[in-house]
Structure formats: structure tokens, C-alpha cells
Amino acid sequence: MNRTRLIALALSFGLASPALADSYAAISNTAMSITGDIEFDDFGITFENGKKIEFDDLIGDTFVVDGKSVPASVYSVADPKDPVLLNGNTLCGAPVTYVASWSASNGTDTIVAVFSTEDAPESSDEMCASYTYE
């Protein structure tokens, strides 16, 4: 095998670029005053002040919002906590155990809801707070 083929083979096995988090701009009053802009991916959320919440597992891909099932991502939190964010505000008022995200009804914004429940949430009725981003 010539050198060019060896290099191409090596590149195809391990040098793929890592997935980057998506950046979201805070647009709801709660998001602007508490979280600020965020970085969000399948591993966690990084808030504007640099604090993070890391996810343990993706536990669901649908969620009930206002009585309707919607496509969503529901994550368990690896180390439940309620970080102090912008202006001394906290995310939930209690340790966050689950996070869910889904597209808003306008199709362009993203809603992130946080939960302090012991059991996995099944609907937005159980959230302690929600934040809207674009």
C-alpha cells in the first residue's frame, strides 16, 4: 500500500473533527436575565457565565407540551445542581435533575425546560422553569 493510501486510511479512522455545540441566543425575559446565551449539545449546556450542566443520558425523544406530543430531547443530568448564573439568579431554585428541549410552535425558536423531579418528566407541566432561545 502506498503512502498516500495509508494517510487517507489513517485520516478516515480517527481524525474526524469533534461535534461542536450549537449556540443559542437568549430571547425570553427569563433566558436573558438568568442564563444569557448558551451552548447546547448532547453532552450538556454551557451558560453565558461559563457555568455548565452535564448530561448523563438521552432518555427520551418525545415530550408532551400543552397536551400534545412533540419531538424533543430529554436528558438526565449527571450531577444535579442549581448553578448560580447571571445577576445571582439560579436556574431552577432546586437541583436540576432533567433537561428537555424542543422547537417552539413558530418552528424557529428553541425552548429549554429544566426539572427538579425525582422521576423522568413526561410533560412540560412538571418543569420548574423554561427558557427560549433562537
Side-chain angles (χ1 to χ4, degrees), residues 34-121:
I34 296 174
T35 68
D37 298 344
I38 62 170
E39 300 283 322
F40 190 109
D41 62 22
D42 287 339
F43 304 102
I45 303 173
T46 302
F47 301 99
E48 189 169 297
N49 71 350
K51 299 282 177 97
K52 297 178 183 182
I53 284 185
E54 294 181 356
F55 301 145
D56 190 26
D57 289 312
L58 175 65
I59 60 167
D61 59 4
T62 59
F63 195 66
V64 176
V65 177
D66 298 328
K68 299 178 196 167
S69 183
V70 299
S73 296
V74 182
Y75 298 93
S76 59
V77 173
D79 179 24
K81 57 186 167 185
D82 192 25
V84 176
L85 301 173
L86 301 180
N87 307 309
N89 292 310
T90 61
L91 195 56
C92 183
V96 174
T97 53
Y98 296 93
V99 174
S101 68
W102 63 91
S103 292
S105 59
N106 66 10
T108 58
D109 298 337
T110 297
I111 299 172
V112 175
V114 292
F115 303 82
S116 63
T117 57
E118 186 174 323
D119 296 325

Side-chain angles (χ1 to χ4, degrees), residues 9-23:
L9 184 63
L11 289 173
S12 70
F13 280 114
L15 298 179
S17 61
L20 300 175
D22 292 324
S23 296

